[in-house]
Amino acid sequence: SETAALTANAAGIPLGTPVAGVSVRVLGKNNEEQKTGEVGEIWVAGEHVARGYFANPQADAFYKHLDTDGRLWHRMGDLGYMDERGRLWLVGRVLTTIVRDGHTIYPVPVEATVGMLPFVYRAVLTGTSDSQQGERTCLTVELAADIASPADWQTQLKTLCAEHGWIIDQV
């Protein structure tokens, strides 16, 4: 399908278009609306949004926001973007974004792209603190049990990631 091809080409994971009664915003670091294709934090509003957390005013203050119309918005902690067709795409979580040598890497597109290889069952990208580069990247993969892995599978993974501008320090 079209979205599978986009996912294989680093677009992230398609979440679809918002349903009736649910409003979605993608906001930048200063709570500004992001343009089409620009990554930001996903916020939602609608009757499904809980009014608050049980006995946790700090979480309420951080995640729950009333707009000027009195509408309650909830910060999801997820990162994504809206495409030109109004579809929402997931690229990661706010707390799992990796900044390596000044370059932002969102784990979900890396994991989804690598996961499309026939010899990969699943993959996860993590960052570890590094005094020189900010963070180092580590791609952990579980190989498919029913498909023989090529002898150079680690090189193939690094090459595929490099084609998308993702530097992988360790596999």
Side-chain angles (χ1 to χ4, degrees):
S1 75
E2 177 211 2
T3 54
L6 290 169
T7 294
N9 199 30
I13 297 175
L15 300 178
T17 55
V19 297
V22 176
S23 296
V24 175
R25 296 170 129 174
V26 178
L27 302 180
K29 289 182 181 177
N30 297 316
N31 295 340
E32 73 281 4
E33 288 279 343
Q34 297 296 82
K35 295 177 184 164
T36 299
E38 289 184 352
V39 172
E41 185 173 7
I42 300 169
W43 293 49
V44 296
E47 293 301 315
H48 70 289
V49 174
R51 303 301 298 170
Y53 289 91
F54 176 75
N56 193 340
Q58 293 88 359
D60 286 342
F62 187 76
Y63 290 104
K64 306 294 182 178
H65 298 274
L66 290 174
D67 65 17
T68 55
D69 296 328
R71 186 162 202 195
L72 181 67
W73 288 88
H74 175 74
R75 298 177 72 160
M76 298 293 297
D78 293 318
L79 293 170
Y81 64 93
M82 297 293 277
D83 70 12
E84 64 285 341
R85 291 175 47 190
R87 297 176 298 191
L88 183 62
W89 291 79
L90 178 71
V91 299
R93 301 270 304 150
V94 171
L95 297 177
T96 62
T97 299
I98 299 165
V99 179
R100 185 193 183 281
D101 202 23
H103 301 283
T104 301
I105 304 172
Y106 301 108
V108 170
V110 177
E111 295 161 359
T113 300
V114 168
M116 294 288 201
L117 294 170
F119 60 90
V120 174
Y121 176 65
R122 62 182 155 197
V124 64
L125 183 70
T126 56
T128 56
S129 183
D130 183 86
S131 61
Q132 264 120 28
Q133 299 181 355
E135 289 181 273
R136 292 178 48 80
T137 55
C138 179
L139 180 65
T140 303
V141 297
E142 182 178 350
L143 299 173
D146 56 345
I147 296 176
S149 301
D152 66 341
W153 66 271
Q154 290 181 326
T155 301
Q156 283 189 34
L157 294 176
K158 284 187 171 186
T159 300
L160 173 64
C161 289
E163 289 170 1
H164 293 286
W166 306 317
I167 298 170
I168 304 301
D169 295 303
Q170 182 180 6
V171 177

